[in-house]
Amino acid sequence: MIERYLVVLEDFMINEKLCILLNINEEFDRPTFINDLYIELGIIRQEFNMEDNKFIVLLDFSKVPYDISVIQEIYTIVNKVESHLIKNVDKFIIYKTNKDTDRILSLIEHHISRELFDMIVGDNNISDIINQALNDKNLLSNISHPVKKDSN
């Protein structure tokens, strides 16, 4: 595992929950991703002393094409790791969208459990706030605090 699929935003929390970015590129390999997902969540729990707390996963849908094979891959993976996601994730927040996001979500909705789908937040106001905070360090320091603090 060279680069993590899950990237912790150490300067950004929502409702006192650790936020994680999903980091997937074109060289994505399903078996490796599924295996690494379990490993990385465990590492993050240990690194940040999370115990039973759940995470918020930030999703960039601007990179998701309206391609049936890609969408099938998404819900196949989600269904394989569903119980682990429900146990570890509080919300999935879509912070970047594209023109097809609603259509993609509509397809996904019919192929994953209602419980898991209800964890997805795709609100434009929330997306705008998160995008602004991630790109403006002054705003970020006003609305959030670092997860880890230097002990010096």
Side-chain angles (χ1 to χ4, degrees), residues 51-100:
E51 296 180 26
D52 293 331
N53 294 329
K54 291 185 173 188
F55 308 108
I56 292 179
V57 177
L58 301 178
L59 303 172
D60 179 353
F61 260 58
S62 68
K63 298 176 182 176
V64 180
Y66 188 74
D67 177 324
I68 297 303
S69 64
V70 171
I71 297 166
Q72 286 174 335
E73 185 74 11
I74 291 169
Y75 59 72
T76 298
I77 291 169
V78 167
N79 286 323
K80 284 188 182 293
V81 297
E82 177 180 359
S83 63
H84 202 65
L85 292 174
I86 289 171
K87 177 180 160 195
N88 287 285
V89 178
D90 183 59
K91 294 281 182 211
F92 295 93
I93 298 177
I94 300 170
Y95 76 100
K96 284 187 181 178
T97 61
N98 64 30
K99 64 181 178 56
D100 295 317

Side-chain angles (χ1 to χ4, degrees), residues 1 3 5 35 38 44 47 50-51 57 61 123 125 130 134:
M1 176 171 55
E3 188 174 343
Y5 287 113
N35 180 64
Y38 287 99
I44 292 167
E47 282 180 9
M50 295 298 294
E51 296 180 26
V57 177
F61 260 58
D123 180 279
N125 293 326
I130 291 172
L134 292 175

Side-chain angles (χ1 to χ4, degrees), residues 89-126:
V89 178
D90 183 59
K91 294 281 182 211
F92 295 93
I93 298 177
I94 300 170
Y95 76 100
K96 284 187 181 178
T97 61
N98 64 30
K99 64 181 178 56
D100 295 317
T101 298
D102 289 339
R103 289 174 30 188
I104 294 167
L105 285 173
S106 180
L107 284 172
I108 291 171
E109 178 179 15
H110 298 292
H111 292 92
I112 66 172
S113 73
R114 178 89 261 157
E115 180 180 9
L116 200 54
F117 188 78
D118 287 345
M119 294 166 62
I120 300 171
V121 177
D123 180 279
N124 286 336
N125 293 326
I126 293 171

Side-chain angles (χ1 to χ4, degrees), residues 17-34:
K17 300 221 181 280
L18 189 65
C19 292
I20 298 171
L21 284 173
L22 189 59
N23 181 32
I24 296 179
N25 59 33
E26 293 82 31
E27 298 169 18
F28 164 79
D29 172 70
R30 184 193 319 168
T32 302
F33 173 75
I34 291 171

